[in-house]
Amino acid sequence: MATSTKQILLAAPRGYCAGVDRAIEAVERALEHYGPPVYVRNEIVHNKHVVATLAERGAVFVSETEQVPEGARVIFSAHGVSPAVRAEAASRGLDTIDATCPLVTKVHKEAVRFARDDYDILLIGHDGHEEVEGTAGEAPEHVQLVDGPDAVDQVTVRDPAKVVWLSQTTLSVDETMTTVHRLREKFPQLQDPPSDDICYATQNRQVAVKKIAPEVDVMIVVGSANSSNSVRLVEVALEAGAGSAHRVDAAGELDRAWFDGATRVGLSSGASVPEILVREVVERLGGWGFGEVVEVRTATEDLMFSLPKELRGELKKAGQSARPGGRRTLDVTPV
Ligand code: 0CN
Ligand code: SF4
């Protein structure tokens, strides 16, 4: 059907997942309850606007627990930490609040269990990503990192009858399946994880982008450069047939030339991205003639995680509600 108004196809689900919502609320509630400074090990989630906004409110982001003064309070990020980091924090007498997403913790538990049964664990994930460092750290003698299909050739195992693959939660589903296929060609007895390690939010955002991508001239994904799940959405969009695809941190990074001759733009955002940043992109595109916004929903999400237990206990003692607020956005300061 011919249309004179240029359109935005807005992917749903997009933006915050349950683990991000909980982690950000943990920092906000800790700041309210204890007052600043509250230390946070690594970026609480991989979004520079979220980090800048929380820093303005008194969160102090550090890359190692060594940088936290003895006896102070530190929050572990949504991506999880290895037992060595926990031990270091304990040895320095730090009060810890663990905002690791429960779906990351689930993968840690799988690694511990398969290591106990003396399996070789092939962990599919991106070298250097914090989540992978945390998961591998649960069983360093048993875990080998497999960073994509091309890394399969180098993999060797002790006993091909006792091999399992696990993965980072925020990978491309299709690329991971290619890696698994190659691993299984090499090790036919390779076992699957007990349940999907790539989380529901990562999967849902990819499904929505795949639906929209073939219909659009340009796909825009809002998210930070170090956000694995956001970057995967750009790749998924291109694979699924978008004319072009770009990641931006915020509306200010949009280049008008990307939209020359375009009549339909797709828009999504990663799991760590506040909705306000998407709204600003919609506004900017509206000013460039993309006046009609059509939401394309492929799933509904209502999962919500309770706050980290250390914080819940403290809030209850102080007579404050320990229920998660489900804030779903943060009034971020554009940086
Ligand atoms: O962007 P994120 O903070 O992290 P990655 O996609 O880089 O893993 O999103 C939340 C994901 C988690 C854990
Ligand atoms: Fe948890 Fe998935 Fe969100 Fe990561 S992207 S915080 S694993 S729900």
Side-chain angles (χ1 to χ4, degrees), residues 17-20 78-79 101-104 131 169-170 197 199-202 229 271 303 305:
C17 60
V20 163
H79 317 97
C101 176
L103 300 181
V104 172
E131 182 186 325
T169 57
T170 50
D197 287 344
C199 75
Y200 80 98
T202 299
N229 79 89
L303 187 64
F305 294 127

Side-chain angles (χ1 to χ4, degrees), residues 224-247:
S224 287
N226 61 343
S227 167
S228 168
N229 79 89
S230 305
V231 174
R232 302 291 82 77
L233 292 178
V234 175
E235 295 167 1
V236 164
L238 290 171
E239 279 280 312
S244 63
H246 305 273
R247 180 199 57 77

Side-chain angles (χ1 to χ4, degrees), residues 6-11 14 220-222 248 250-252 254 259 265-269 274-295:
K6 296 192 285 185
Q7 275 186 334
I8 300 172
L9 300 187
L10 187 56
R14 64 179 176 278
I220 300 297
V221 174
V222 185
V248 293
L254 293 169
F259 308 96
V265 173
L267 178 58
S268 185
S269 57
E275 182 63 9
I276 190 170
L277 298 174
V278 175
R279 289 203 296 265
E280 286 173 6
V281 170
V282 169
E283 267 171 41
R284 176 73 59 110
L285 291 172
W288 294 343
F290 293 88
E292 189 184 338
V293 182
V294 180
E295 189 171 75

Side-chain angles (χ1 to χ4, degrees), residues 30 74 101 116 157 177 211 225 234 299 323:
V74 63
C101 176
R116 201 189 300 127
V157 298
M177 288 309 126
K211 173 122 190 230
V234 175
R323 293 170 67 84

Side-chain angles (χ1 to χ4, degrees), residues 22 86 97-98 306-315:
R22 166 189 192 256
R86 288 181 198 283
I97 295 174
D98 187 2
S306 53
L307 290 169
K309 62 178 187 313
E310 308 87 346
L311 193 57
R312 243 168 27 223
E314 276 299 303
L315 294 172

